[in-house]
Amino acid sequence: MIAGAAGVIGRVLSNGLNAYDLRLVDTNPPPYSDILFKNIDVANYKEHLKDVMIGHDVVIHLAHDMRENFDTRHTIHDNKIMIENIYSAALKVSPHPRVIVASSVHAAGGHINWDIEPYTNVKERKRSLEQDELITVAHGPAADSPYAATKIYGEELGRWYATQGLRVVCVRFGGVNERDEILEEPNFCYHAFWLSKQDCTQFVKCCIEATLPQYSVFFAISNNKYKVVDISDARKALGYMPVDDAAMKRRL
């Protein structure tokens, strides 16, 4: 089951995971008429969520109100409620589905200052960082925005639900976009965090199939030459083998 299936990553996965029996959930129907779709507002219909989850091995939670970037008065609350409802509903389903939750690389963005070394070199594409310079999950969360803070909340809430019996995988997704290109965004070095559609699909397939502990957090980016976050744990634990590199793509 994919909640938030009409979003960018939702559409990527709806295409890429078509070998599985999918159920798509959103308030807007995605353009896949041959896949089961259920119109549910994840923020308001927790009991409906539980009913739809029954019989599913995996729930992928991607639903997020992106207006949070511009107006935090209401959307932070809605986004918190959505992740709370997903975890709560999954815990009521037996057997519990594996819950794969969309976090973000921004959950660690507070560790990065692009105006100082070594990050300036990455920003300017002057050199690649050594392994011991990369940010790992072990560095802990560090929000760079209200959006990132709600993603960290989802991670930490998942950590607690894992103690209650859910198997939770939090994925700190990098930059995925419709055109599969390297975008120019203010205060965000897209080439460091780019995640191609192909690698995004492979990453989530690995999260579905891998034998994992009760709770996991991973960064999900492509095999970018100029990266700042570590994906070696995802390679080892998931068998993730990214094939794309932002350095080989043209900039838009």
Side-chain angles (χ1 to χ4, degrees), residues 18 34 94 156 171 177 237-238:
N18 55 17
D34 57 338
S94 182
E156 291 304 305
V171 181
N177 65 83
L238 300 174

Side-chain angles (χ1 to χ4, degrees), residues 202-203 206-207 210 212 232-242:
Q202 185 210 150
F203 195 101
C206 290
C207 290
L212 293 171
S232 63
D233 55 344
R235 292 179 184 272
K236 181 177 180 180
L238 300 174
Y240 175 54
M241 297 292 290

Side-chain angles (χ1 to χ4, degrees), residues 35-47:
I35 301 178
L36 289 174
F37 170 72
K38 187 73 173 178
N39 188 321
I40 295 179
D41 181 352
V42 177
N44 292 301
Y45 296 101
K46 181 165 63 177
E47 288 306 310

Side-chain angles (χ1 to χ4, degrees), residues 10-28:
R11 292 193 294 274
V12 170
L13 296 182
S14 297
N15 271 326
L17 300 179
N18 55 17
Y20 298 95
D21 293 327
L22 298 179
R23 168 68 66 89
L24 309 183
V25 171
D26 208 302
T27 54
N28 298 303

